[in-house]
Amino acid sequence: MEISEQILNWRVVAASVCGTSHVKNKQLCQDAHHWQLLPDNILVAAAADGAGSAVQGKVGAMIAVETAVESISNKEITQETLIDDALVRSVLAEAMLSAAKAVEEEAVACEKQPMDLATTLIIMIATPELVAVAQVGDGVAVAKDEGGNLLALTIPDNGEYINETTFLTSPAALKTAQLKIWRQPIVNVGMITDGLEMLAMNMAVGAPHKPFFMPLFEFVANAQDKSVAQEQLVKFLRSDKITQRTDDDLTLIIGALRD
């Protein structure tokens, strides 16, 4: 078993595409994502959805994901150090704080208010034995274990009213952020922004929709060419099957461990 675990490596395919409503209105995609494979087989990923009401939501989303991943990448973490739950929480909290500060600093530099760059943010750290997630706002992070169990690690924070959520620039964002550590032998991970929630989740019970995620996990595990796989994922997100059910911006990050 130990030998098998050592040769399993992450394969990741991710994309953010502009929703049909934004294309129609000639607006930019407000979503952003970023991921990086660190030494010792550690995957770090982030997804963000800039607020549609924010004049520079796209900028906020881009800064948030890039800063969060960079913050974790600079820690020189290993699978051994990640055994400590307190350290995992600290690394995620610092990444979230760094992202929030970076967005606020960009707002000052642009002579804007922080809410003009409002964005959600999901941050994930994944190894073959661990998935840890911090989240502010809507969207969902999921993981699948060796037994085929598919778990929603977070739940969408949709607020009291329709289309309302908490943003990284909200006053209580960091205090109310979700944080989940799941220690199981992992096979797959996934992250979505809110544009895919109705397709990817059974919202009534807060459970991932297996017919959505399972084929995608299989697709990534079998992908041979990263560029071709990304093109295929973009094509999937722009397909009638998806756009007939959602007109919002869409971000999807899928990771699979394979030899």
Side-chain angles (χ1 to χ4, degrees):
M1 176 62 82
E2 290 180 359
I3 295 175
S4 173
E5 291 174 350
Q6 289 173 356
I7 63 174
L8 291 177
N9 295 297
W10 286 110
R11 176 160 294 184
V12 181
V13 180
S16 294
V17 302
C18 195
T20 54
S21 62
H22 285 186
V23 172
K24 183 178 180 180
N25 295 324
K26 297 181 179 180
Q27 295 174 307
L28 294 174
C29 174
Q30 302 294 312
D31 278 12
H33 71 277
H34 191 48
W35 61 273
Q36 188 171 344
L37 292 175
L38 306 185
D40 205 20
N41 207 15
I42 298 171
L43 169 64
V44 180
D49 177 9
S53 59
V55 294
Q56 293 196 31
K58 172 68 172 181
V59 175
M62 291 178 63
I63 290 174
V65 296
E66 291 172 4
T67 303
V69 171
E70 181 182 14
S71 171
I72 297 172
S73 301
N74 290 338
K75 297 296 183 189
E76 297 184 357
I77 54 178
T78 66
Q79 290 193 41
E80 184 176 353
T81 61
L82 291 174
I83 292 174
D84 183 351
D85 279 3
L87 181 139
V88 174
R89 292 190 183 94
S90 174
V91 168
L92 286 171
E94 188 168 333
M96 191 71 74
L97 179 61
S98 296
K101 286 184 175 180
V103 171
E104 291 172 359
E105 289 171 358
E106 180 67 18
V108 172
C110 297
E111 298 183 346
K112 301 287 185 181
Q113 295 298 314
M115 286 305 290
D116 291 329
L117 281 74
T119 181
T120 65
L121 179 61
I122 311 173
I123 310 169
M124 175 184 287
I125 301 172
T127 77
E129 302 290 336
L130 159 79
V131 182
V133 180
Q135 176 170 324
V136 168
D138 46 27
V140 178
V142 304
K144 190 185 79 171
D145 66 15
E146 289 182 333
N149 298 302
L150 187 57
L151 176 74
L153 300 169
T154 58
I155 58 174
D157 175 9
N158 293 323
E160 294 183 56
Y161 306 102
I162 295 175
N163 295 326
E164 178 188 86
T165 192
T166 303
F167 294 110
L168 189 61
T169 47
S170 302
L174 301 183
K175 292 182 180 179
T176 59
Q178 300 178 60
L179 197 152
K180 175 76 173 184
I181 300 174
W182 196 43
R183 295 192 180 276
Q184 293 287 342
I186 303 303
V187 177
N188 297 102
V189 293
M191 299 170 70
I192 62 168
T193 49
D194 75 315
L196 285 169
E197 285 175 5
M198 299 305 292
L199 290 88
M201 298 291 296
N202 180 338
M203 301 301 288
V205 296
H209 189 46
K210 284 192 173 184
F212 178 86
F213 282 105
M214 294 305 193
L216 288 167
F217 290 154
E218 189 72 17
F219 158 70
V220 174
N222 293 324
Q224 299 299 318
D225 186 299
K226 292 181 181 179
S227 297
V228 172
Q230 185 176 15
E231 290 175 4
Q232 291 174 330
L233 184 62
V234 169
K235 185 177 180 180
F236 166 72
L237 292 174
R238 289 176 174 165
S239 68
D240 290 344
K241 180 179 179 180
I242 301 298
T243 58
Q244 286 176 357
R245 297 184 61 186
T246 177
D247 63 357
D248 199 0
D249 294 338
L250 308 171
T251 290
L252 178 60
I253 304 174
I254 297 291
L257 280 168
R258 55 162 295 165
D259 55 23

